[in-house]
């Protein structure tokens, strides 16, 4: 959050909602400018920062456990540990999902591919849209479990 705040602090984000911009637009009328790197660079840096937030845990999972992190009961054990730490009893449907080795190992594989693949999709506009949608699905899945 600190890095995003610093990025917004040094970017010209005040050009849109400032009083100066309003008075300038009122005085000169609506002026259409070509896209400026002053606005594109902070956006790209934000995307790269977000990609690194996903990329680092994905690489850490592969570095510490490798294929064992994906193809073991690691994700199932983590879910049970999280429930135990919160003194929460999951419902019977969620218990069946978590006890399914195929589903949990598939979820672990999708997690690592998503986290590492995010950085590869940043250069493409369509890729950013897809990854934005997938990140909502990813975090919704984490919230459900």
């Amino acid at each position: 959050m600190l890095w995003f705040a610093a990025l917004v602090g040094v970017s010209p984000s005040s050009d849109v909602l400032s009083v100066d911009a309003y008075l300038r637009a009122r005085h000169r009328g609506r002026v259409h400018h070509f896209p400026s790197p002053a606005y594109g660079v902070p956006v790209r840096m934000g995307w790269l920062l977000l990609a690194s937030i996903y990329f680092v845990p994905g690489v850490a999972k592969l570095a510490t456990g490798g294929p064992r992190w994906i193809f073991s009961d690691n994700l199932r054990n983590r879910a049970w540990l999280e429930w135990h730490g919160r003194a929460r009893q999951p419902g019977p449907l969620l218990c069946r999902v978590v006890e399914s080795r195929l589903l949990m190992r598939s979820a672990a594989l999708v997690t690592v591919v998503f986290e590492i693949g995010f950085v590869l999709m940043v250069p493409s506009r369509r890729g950013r849209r897809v990854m934005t949608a997938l990140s909502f699905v990813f975090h919704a899945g984490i919230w459900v479990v």
Side-chain angles (χ1 to χ4, degrees), residues 49-126:
L49 182 60
L50 188 61
S52 68
I53 289 170
Y54 283 120
F55 184 74
V56 170
V59 169
K61 287 176 180 110
L62 290 180
T64 59
R68 289 178 308 189
W69 194 94
I70 297 169
F71 299 111
S72 68
D73 292 332
N74 183 40
L75 196 58
R76 179 194 66 140
N77 295 340
R78 289 183 178 273
W80 281 108
L81 185 64
E82 182 69 24
W83 293 333
H84 179 71
R86 294 180 183 215
R88 181 175 163 214
Q89 180 64 31
L93 179 62
L94 194 54
C95 283
R96 278 195 208 129
V97 168
V98 170
E99 289 302 320
S100 169
R101 287 185 174 196
L102 179 65
L103 283 175
M104 292 310 282
R105 290 177 181 176
S106 299
L109 178 64
V110 167
T111 297
V112 172
V113 168
F114 170 76
E115 289 176 338
I116 292 176
F118 197 97
V119 74
L120 301 174
M121 300 296 277
V122 166
S124 163
R125 179 182 294 240
R126 178 175 286 161

Side-chain angles (χ1 to χ4, degrees), residues 20-30:
D20 291 338
Y22 172 75
L23 293 175
R24 200 175 317 119
R26 192 165 180 215
H27 176 64
R28 289 192 233 161
R30 194 124 183 91

Side-chain angles (χ1 to χ4, degrees), residues 11 14 49 92 115 134 139:
S11 67
S14 64
L49 182 60
E115 289 176 338
L134 287 177
H139 287 284

